[in-house]
Amino acid sequence: MTTEQNNNPEENNNNEALTNFIQNIISEDLKKGKNGGRVHTRFPPEPNGYLHIGHAKSICLNFGLAANNGGICNLRFDDTNPIKEELEYVDSIKEDVRWLGFDWEERMYYASDYFDKLYESAVQLIEKGCAYVCDLSPQEIRQYRGTLTEPGQESPYRNRSVEENLDLFTRMRAGEFADGTRVLRAKIDMASPNLNMRDPVIYRILRAYHHRTGDKWCIYPMYDFAHPLSDALESITHSVCTLEFADHRPLYDWFLDNVDYNADKNGRPQQIEFARLNLSYTVMSKRKLRELVENNYVNGWDDPRMPTISGLRRRGYTPESIRDFCNRIGVAKRDSVVDIALLEHCVREDLNLDATRVMAVLRPLKVIIDNYPADQVEWLETENNPENPAMGKRLIPFSRELYIEQEDFMEDPPKKFFRLRPGGEIRLKSAYIIKCEEVIKNAQGDIIELHCSYDPDSKSGGATSGRKVKGTSHWVSAAHAISAEVRLYEHLFLTENPDDEEDGNDFKTKLNPNSLQVLTNCQVEPGLAEALARNRYQFLRQGYFCLDVDSRPDRLVFNRIVSLRDSWAKAQKS
């Protein structure tokens, strides 16, 4: 399998997504009347962790294909491994699918719904001489399996009689044998060039409490056995999965060929593989994401630095932006790496027209306007969103003492610095032009306060406000500002491909130590006291932000969703 760096997903979208090879297959099937003209897909997550942006692509694809072709899509949990599965993950998956905007209606199923039927199917294979109970240990099974260049060896238990296999399998179900001592294997071909066809295990003994069936079962089916038969039992027509399952397709078909699942009534599922989503500066392995969570490298599955859907939701991403991203990257047949800048571009585009512009000073520097009346407060008008005039305007308070950003003042600035300097002027957004008259420092030489004067005739929007200065700064009134905590996020990893192991380093060594920066003394305009969870704002010159779930009425906490810099849009223009 080849992996290419895809630096232009929009080109990929134009060449492949609009034609969409999976849609072409479905269109041809509909033209031929295959499956009675039905289209029935499914999204089959394993509840062993939280869904991530890669799963979002699969969700959009499966539900989208069904919707676009007048079909339906099931949500089915692959709950065949109770050791790793929890009800918490089931609940989170349902929340994520709904949040993305999709509805499985009444069609929510579990592989465990079919445990009795799967057991009966295994018995059927034994009776046909197509399955046998094997006593080899897991290590011996691997040794007997062979390699890509050498055929496997037949198990010494391969030729047990049907009667003996039925007896042993019945006793496996009854709990007579210890975990790991026996398995049920399909009898296919130990010389097959496809290792998946070399008598794969289809049942193992596993004493583990199942979140739905409790202690009813001590044997559980393997995914490769449960999945095609679950598809068949649900009358799935198109079983869409990622490329790593391409080599499993012959096994998928073998089970459908050898198990009676009433194909005349249900139709026959067809497995189709597409390229999974790989995102730069990100790991997409559930095992690795679980490791980050369980070893406290991040603050839970919904940490806003995580690529999980719950993490993106908490950070402030919108479902519309994620669906747009999944549409833009298209559906390909080859694995590639998508630039995370495209995902960030999609959320900027979505928020640009809807996010209210507000004043927020992240690193405050006090400004005292000496010639402004000490007891005066003006309420100045400013637009809510210049990109969307329909959002109207609001009033913000202006007073003698203000806060501006520390970076908006330099005592000895370079030539092209257009902010405030000693003796220099700037315009305060939607307010007046001010001039720096005096710089106050503490005993350590740090600048702690600026004394300025203002031009009362320079009021923004006023009749005599035509005087121009090059710099404009955002600000907040010190007497009215609300203190807030602001969390600034960067990529979780320092390298574009943290999964690359050619350098010999574990992926965790590539974590970005500056992926989270917490600012605790930010000052925001008073209107944000009414901010609601999931409301998105543009903090002028700082980026897009939303209220975090950690917020309380006495302690506002904002997450930066994304900065204003759009490297993706810039790259497309160059």
Side-chain angles (χ1 to χ4, degrees):
M1 185 183 298
T2 60
T3 300
E4 298 179 345
Q5 180 72 29
N6 185 352
N7 292 318
N8 193 347
E10 286 195 348
E11 179 180 339
N12 180 54
N13 183 54
N14 292 333
N15 292 339
E16 292 190 279
L18 295 181
T19 56
N20 189 332
F21 75 95
I22 300 178
Q23 178 59 58
N24 290 344
I25 292 172
I26 292 175
S27 297
E28 189 64 25
D29 289 345
L30 291 174
K31 188 185 301 183
K32 294 177 180 177
K34 185 177 178 181
N35 297 307
R38 294 184 305 108
V39 174
H40 196 162
T41 61
R42 82 290 169 268
F43 173 61
E46 182 180 0
N48 63 350
Y50 282 60
L51 300 184
H52 55 62
I53 185 69
H55 296 107
K57 176 180 177 180
S58 181
I59 293 168
C60 292
L61 179 59
N62 278 289
F63 280 91
L65 287 169
N68 292 340
N69 293 280
I72 53 179
C73 182
N74 296 356
L75 173 63
R76 181 175 73 237
F77 293 97
D78 168 37
D79 56 343
T80 56
N81 186 5
I83 290 178
K84 295 183 178 180
E85 297 160 1
E86 297 180 20
L87 186 59
E88 171 192 353
Y89 301 140
V90 171
D91 292 339
S92 73
I93 290 168
K94 291 191 291 185
E95 180 182 8
D96 289 346
V97 175
R98 285 196 181 102
W99 179 76
L100 282 172
F102 299 103
D103 185 3
W104 57 87
E105 298 173 327
E106 76 287 353
R107 297 179 306 278
M108 184 175 74
Y109 304 105
Y110 297 81
S112 56
D113 292 336
Y114 313 122
F115 278 177
D116 287 300
K117 292 182 179 179
L118 293 172
Y119 178 83
E120 293 169 6
S121 297
V123 170
Q124 185 185 136
L125 288 175
I126 295 172
E127 292 174 338
K128 292 174 64 175
C130 293
Y132 63 96
V133 174
C134 182
D135 298 359
L136 293 177
S137 68
Q139 182 179 0
E140 289 171 329
I141 290 176
R142 285 192 294 271
Q143 291 172 347
Y144 275 63
R145 194 183 189 197
T147 66
L148 290 172
T149 57
E150 296 179 357
Q153 303 175 55
E154 291 188 358
S155 165
Y157 307 100
R158 195 175 196 265
N159 295 314
R160 279 173 162 158
S161 67
V162 169
E163 293 74 21
E164 184 180 7
N165 283 317
L166 287 173
D167 174 65
L168 289 171
F169 191 49
T170 301
R171 292 159 66 190
M172 283 172 60
R173 177 179 181 175
E176 188 172 327
F177 309 119
D179 290 11
T181 56
R182 284 189 164 96
V183 294
L184 183 69
R185 298 175 67 178
K187 187 187 289 188
I188 308 180
D189 182 4
M190 290 303 295
S192 172
N194 186 336
L195 271 64
N196 295 293
M197 303 296 284
R198 295 182 186 177
D199 291 11
V201 174
I202 57 177
Y203 263 94
R204 77 284 203 196
I205 304 172
L206 182 63
R207 286 172 175 79
Y209 181 85
H210 191 283
H211 67 98
R212 295 189 72 240
T213 61
D215 294 320
K216 177 181 178 181
W217 295 90
C218 65
I219 58 171
Y220 290 94
M222 302 299 289
Y223 174 84
D224 278 339
F225 179 66
H227 188 72
L229 297 182
S230 297
D231 282 348
L233 291 166
E234 291 177 15
S235 302
I236 300 303
T237 59
H238 300 86
S239 181
V240 181
C241 58
T242 46
L243 280 179
E244 63 263 35
F245 292 101
D247 289 340
H248 296 245
R249 194 196 320 152
L251 183 57
Y252 183 99
D253 290 334
W254 188 90
F255 285 125
L256 296 180
D257 289 338
N258 287 278
V259 172
D260 180 10
Y261 57 88
N262 202 359
D264 292 340
K265 176 182 177 182
N266 296 347
R268 182 186 176 98
Q270 177 184 359
Q271 178 174 304
I272 307 169
E273 306 87 21
F274 70 99
R276 62 179 292 173
L277 170 60
N278 298 298
L279 200 61
S280 63
Y281 297 98
T282 309
V283 296
M284 304 289 264
S285 159
K286 254 201 247 185
R287 176 185 62 81
K288 291 179 178 178
L289 294 176
R290 181 196 289 266
E291 190 174 347
L292 293 177
V293 172
E294 293 180 348
N295 292 294
N296 299 315
Y297 290 99
V298 294
N299 300 316
W301 286 98
D302 68 342
D303 187 306
R305 293 168 292 178
M306 291 278 276
T308 54
I309 297 175
S310 58
L312 294 171
R313 179 167 60 244
R314 179 174 177 179
R315 183 160 173 172
Y317 276 68
T318 62
E320 294 82 4
S321 65
I322 294 176
R323 294 199 304 267
D324 180 33
F325 170 72
C326 291
N327 180 63
R328 291 187 188 218
I329 61 177
V331 183
K333 295 182 180 181
R334 291 185 299 175
D335 275 341
S336 60
V337 178
V338 176
D339 192 340
I340 196 172
L342 175 58
L343 176 60
E344 295 168 345
H345 170 74
C346 290
V347 73
R348 285 190 192 95
E349 279 208 337
D350 185 50
L351 296 178
N352 184 46
L353 289 178
D354 296 328
T356 300
R357 274 53 169 170
V358 296
M359 306 275 203
V361 178
L362 304 191
R363 299 170 180 86
L365 173 61
K366 193 162 209 181
V367 171
I368 298 175
I369 305 175
D370 293 322
N371 64 333
Y372 192 89
D375 56 353
Q376 179 171 308
V377 175
E378 285 184 80
W379 289 86
L380 305 178
E381 190 175 72
T382 189
E383 68 270 25
N384 284 326
N385 187 333
E387 302 290 332
N388 186 357
M391 292 181 66
K393 299 183 178 182
R394 70 186 186 285
L395 297 176
I396 52 175
F398 183 88
S399 62
R400 185 171 186 264
E401 296 188 3
L402 312 171
Y403 292 116
I404 65 170
E405 290 287 349
Q406 292 177 15
E407 65 180 23
D408 284 351
F409 175 81
M410 288 187 71
E411 196 170 17
D412 185 20
K415 185 176 181 180
K416 292 187 177 181
F417 181 76
F418 297 127
R419 303 295 172 185
L420 198 57
R421 66 182 74 197
E425 292 182 316
I426 58 167
R427 174 172 289 282
L428 298 177
K429 168 71 176 172
S430 301
Y432 297 96
I433 293 173
I434 62 171
K435 179 179 180 181
C436 179
E437 307 288 357
E438 184 181 7
V439 179
I440 306 299
K441 299 180 180 180
N442 61 17
Q444 290 74 41
D446 301 319
I447 299 172
I448 59 171
E449 190 173 282
L450 302 179
H451 283 257
C452 299
S453 59
Y454 88 113
D455 177 356
D457 295 326
S458 65
K459 185 175 180 179
S460 181
T464 59
S465 63
R467 192 159 67 87
K468 302 292 184 181
V469 292
K470 288 187 175 180
T472 300
S473 291
H474 60 280
W475 53 274
V476 292
S477 167
H480 302 85
I482 299 172
S483 293
E485 177 180 306
V486 170
R487 298 169 182 175
L488 306 178
Y489 298 100
E490 296 181 8
H491 297 146
L492 186 55
F493 291 91
L494 293 169
T495 61
E496 286 193 26
N497 184 10
D499 277 324
D500 185 3
E501 297 179 355
E502 290 185 5
D503 57 8
N505 294 321
D506 182 83
F507 79 103
K508 297 186 294 298
T509 65
K510 303 165 190 175
L511 284 164
N512 180 3
N514 299 314
S515 61
L516 169 61
Q517 184 179 9
V518 179
L519 306 179
T520 58
N521 187 37
C522 305
Q523 303 295 316
V524 301
E525 67 173 76
L528 286 175
E530 305 300 321
L532 300 174
R534 311 299 182 210
N535 283 7
R536 285 94 174 174
Y537 305 90
Q538 187 191 107
F539 289 5
L540 293 179
R541 294 174 48 219
Q542 302 292 349
Y544 293 97
F545 292 76
C546 77
L547 200 68
D548 186 76
V549 294
D550 284 345
S551 283
R552 303 188 303 265
D554 61 337
R555 177 175 168 267
L556 297 182
V557 179
F558 290 94
N559 295 322
R560 184 162 68 184
I561 307 168
V562 66
S563 67
L564 295 179
R565 297 187 306 273
D566 196 336
S567 59
W568 175 259
K570 184 178 180 180
Q572 302 315 298
K573 293 177 181 178
S574 61

